[in-house]
Amino acid sequence: MLCSTSEMVDGGKSGCCGSGGPGYASPADAINGPKEKVLFVTCPSLDKTKGDVIATVDVDPDSETYNKIIGKVEFPHKGDEVHHTGWNACSSCYTDSSAKRSHLVAPCLHSSRVYFIDTADPTDLKLAKILEPSDMLKFDVSFPHTSHCLADGNIMISTLGDAGGNAKGSFLLVDGKTFEPNKIWTSPDSLSPQFNYDFWYQPRRNVMISTEWGTPNFIKGGFNPAHVAEGQYGNKVHVFDWKEHNLLQSIELDGPEGWIPLEVRFLHEPTSPFAFVGTALGSGVFLLYKGESDSEYKSKLVASIPPKKVSGWALPEMPALITDILVSMDDKYLYLSCWLHGDLRQYDISDPFNPKLVGQIFLGGSIHKKSGVTVIDDKELKEQPDARYIKGKKVRGAPQMLQLSLDGRRLYVTTSLYSVWDKQFYPDMGENGGMMLQLDVDVENGGMKLNEAFLVDFADELGAPYLGHEMRYPGGDCTSDIWI
């Protein structure tokens, strides 16, 4: 039997069904936490007559409903474009026994709504509250993306646009109990970045770092490389003083590898100065670091995936398009997804300045032998990879969002990036919906192997073409928990 969400997360050292504040006291305690049994997945609808869905996927191999959707909540509005999710409370509130990880926070890009989902019963998700567009637009912000819970009881949501959908980087604070918007996080006298996307804070270092995607009005129209040259997409990361809420630095990432920095991940060890950023168009991984004697953060390109010269595609060169990165809870491995090339990579980051590639697997993508694309020149591969089939179905799309088990042994992967871009680059997925896969990980030596027994085809499971994007465990995970 599944624990309720409150039972699953009130653990810390005592694990499932224990007591105390939400989450775990430390990353080490999280690694030793109970094995995941369900995942909550955001599912944008491709059917204009249906609302987006948050779905509960059974990931317990001993369950009769393994790799099936066992619960869902459908949003009452159409065209929201639910994307990423966060929690109302997490391990940053671990010492607060009154805090409960009870509600998923689900910002929606296109509508600028935020849904709050009661997850007490994973098989019976309930819509608890809606923050309407007007609630957000009155702060002159729109296109909400990342949400993180804060130790002070607030929820912080990054926003990419102003009320008109023009580029404007901001952060909205929402009360974690009433779910009412409070104010803008940055201090009134602080500068604001032009662009925004993801963010991660590290209180013991008194720092928050944010990244850049682009202008919402241009993003929604599909990706056009000309818009990069026109300045509608970003190539900077921003460093904030966490206590004072002030922008301290804007670091331009060097070279062509620096374009469109998306996900940022600090190491989980809460005193660490190291953070990694993956760039989409640039297909690079940058290390952000600050030595004890440094007055400012610095960046270093520590991994780069070269583009492939191709024919039969939109452009003569195809970038890897790194769209997600993830750091294992023990800070040993960094995973990244190459959404166009179709491969998922695992790097040993024991030395953060010199990552070593220790695992790679192709799952779909745009260069496999049945893609219709011919690779003319490839600096890495001798031949194009085979198309990937699982349970008799060809993988639609390519590795995109990632979620790793707390013990690092199971990696979950969804294949959708964003419905507008899905339709542009993967018409089959843009018509028939996305998928979710699972890989087994060799945590000792590195390496990944596809679990042939696991496949979630969201269209089949939900009875209509749905995509699958971000995943969350009830008990916390590698991309939502921050330790203070």
Side-chain angles (χ1 to χ4, degrees):
M1 178 180 294
L2 295 173
C3 293
S4 70
T5 297
S6 59
E7 290 172 325
M8 283 178 148
V9 301
D10 291 348
K13 293 181 180 180
S14 55
C16 184
C17 307
S19 61
Y24 299 91
S26 68
D29 283 343
I31 292 170
N32 293 317
K35 184 178 179 181
E36 70 282 357
K37 292 187 177 181
V38 299
L39 278 171
F40 301 125
V41 187
T42 59
C43 301
S45 174
L46 295 170
D47 184 337
K48 294 182 180 180
T49 69
K50 297 182 180 297
D52 295 349
V53 161
I54 301 290
T56 305
V57 176
D58 187 336
V59 295
D60 180 1
D62 296 325
S63 169
E64 293 181 356
T65 53
Y66 177 53
N67 74 188
K68 299 293 184 182
I69 289 177
I70 58 172
K72 70 174 184 177
V73 61
E74 182 175 339
F75 296 166
H77 298 280
K78 312 300 185 290
D80 282 312
E81 191 72 26
V82 65
H83 198 62
H84 285 201
T85 56
W87 287 104
N88 66 308
C90 59
S91 288
S92 63
C93 305
Y94 175 74
T95 58
D96 182 359
S97 60
S98 69
K100 303 295 180 184
R101 194 195 316 252
S102 58
H103 289 75
L104 271 177
V105 183
C108 299
L109 297 179
H110 287 179
S111 66
S112 293
R113 286 188 181 89
V114 183
Y115 293 93
F116 298 89
I117 313 302
D118 184 340
T119 64
D121 181 353
T123 66
D124 186 21
L125 303 179
K126 298 182 183 300
L127 179 57
K129 186 182 175 81
I130 305 174
L131 193 157
E132 294 288 356
S134 58
D135 298 322
M136 184 166 292
L137 298 180
K138 68 183 179 183
F139 291 92
D140 193 30
V141 296
S142 66
F143 219 71
H145 187 268
T146 298
S147 67
H148 278 299
C149 71
L150 308 185
D152 65 4
N154 281 306
I155 300 161
M156 188 154 81
I157 303 174
S158 64
T159 57
L160 280 64
D162 64 11
N166 306 298
K168 177 189 177 183
S170 196
F171 305 90
L172 181 67
L173 289 178
V174 177
D175 187 285
K177 293 183 178 179
T178 66
F179 304 138
E180 292 292 334
N182 282 333
K183 61 181 179 179
I184 299 300
W185 176 79
T186 47
S187 63
D189 59 346
S190 175
L191 296 174
S192 296
Q194 178 183 5
F195 299 113
N196 205 6
Y197 185 72
D198 193 27
F199 70 97
W200 194 283
Y201 62 91
Q202 196 82 321
R204 295 195 202 179
R205 289 280 170 174
N206 190 34
V207 64
M208 182 183 86
I209 294 179
S210 69
T211 59
E212 299 189 331
W213 189 3
T215 304
N217 286 339
F218 286 83
I219 292 170
K220 290 188 290 186
F223 181 67
N224 184 342
H227 294 158
V228 177
E230 294 170 4
Q232 300 299 336
Y233 289 89
N235 69 338
K236 298 182 180 70
V237 295
H238 306 280
V239 181
F240 292 82
D241 183 301
W242 180 242
K243 294 179 181 177
E244 300 299 327
H245 306 183
N246 288 327
L247 177 61
L248 301 177
Q249 283 180 264
S250 293
I251 304 172
E252 183 173 326
L253 300 180
D254 294 334
E257 293 88 356
W259 281 102
I260 312 184
L262 294 183
E263 310 297 340
V264 55
R265 311 286 187 228
F266 266 95
L267 295 190
H268 297 286
E269 202 288 305
T271 65
S272 174
F274 299 120
F276 289 94
V277 172
T279 61
L281 185 61
S283 303
V285 177
F286 286 81
L287 175 68
L288 306 176
Y289 63 97
K290 182 178 180 181
E292 294 299 330
S293 61
D294 294 331
S295 60
E296 294 186 327
Y297 264 81
K298 301 176 182 179
S299 67
K300 178 186 178 183
L301 180 66
V302 293
S304 180
I305 301 172
K308 302 181 188 299
K309 292 184 179 180
V310 298
S311 63
W313 197 64
L315 298 171
E317 286 194 340
M318 183 190 294
L321 212 76
I322 297 174
T323 50
D324 194 20
I325 65 171
L326 179 149
V327 175
S328 62
M329 194 62 76
D330 62 1
D331 293 335
K332 181 178 180 180
Y333 294 117
L334 180 143
Y335 297 85
L336 62 83
S337 55
C338 301
W339 191 64
L340 286 180
H341 289 177
D343 58 320
L344 178 62
R345 299 188 180 209
Q346 177 192 35
Y347 290 84
D348 186 325
I349 54 170
S350 301
D351 177 358
F353 289 90
N354 296 285
K356 296 180 180 179
L357 182 64
V358 293
Q360 182 180 23
I361 187 170
F362 280 84
L363 304 168
S366 297
I367 63 164
H368 60 73
K369 292 176 181 178
K370 293 187 177 182
S371 65
V373 172
T374 300
V375 178
I376 299 170
D377 183 46
D378 193 327
K379 296 180 180 178
E380 295 184 319
L381 302 177
K382 294 181 180 179
E383 63 176 350
Q384 294 180 233
D386 293 324
R388 177 71 71 167
Y389 291 83
I390 181 169
K391 292 189 173 183
K393 295 184 177 183
K394 187 169 71 171
V395 173
R396 298 191 296 270
Q400 209 289 286
M401 291 306 293
L402 310 174
Q403 195 52 264
L404 187 67
S405 61
L406 296 176
D407 63 8
R409 296 184 181 276
R410 294 163 300 284
L411 182 65
Y412 298 89
V413 183
T414 54
T415 62
S416 164
L417 172 59
Y418 165 54
S419 67
V420 178
W421 292 21
D422 290 349
K423 294 173 185 177
Q424 181 179 356
F425 292 103
Y426 292 108
D428 183 37
M429 181 172 61
E431 179 179 354
N432 298 306
M435 294 176 163
M436 178 178 169
L437 315 173
Q438 187 250 307
L439 296 91
D440 296 319
V441 178
D442 183 340
V443 297
E444 285 78 24
N445 305 304
M448 301 169 289
K449 182 180 180 181
L450 183 65
N451 179 352
E452 301 284 351
F454 187 98
L455 173 68
V456 180
D457 186 321
F458 290 101
D460 287 350
E461 287 292 306
L462 294 170
Y466 278 89
L467 301 165
H469 192 65
E470 192 175 56
M471 300 157 281
R472 292 275 175 237
Y473 301 130
D477 49 63
C478 295
T479 56
S480 65
D481 274 332
I482 295 174
W483 281 268
I484 62 171

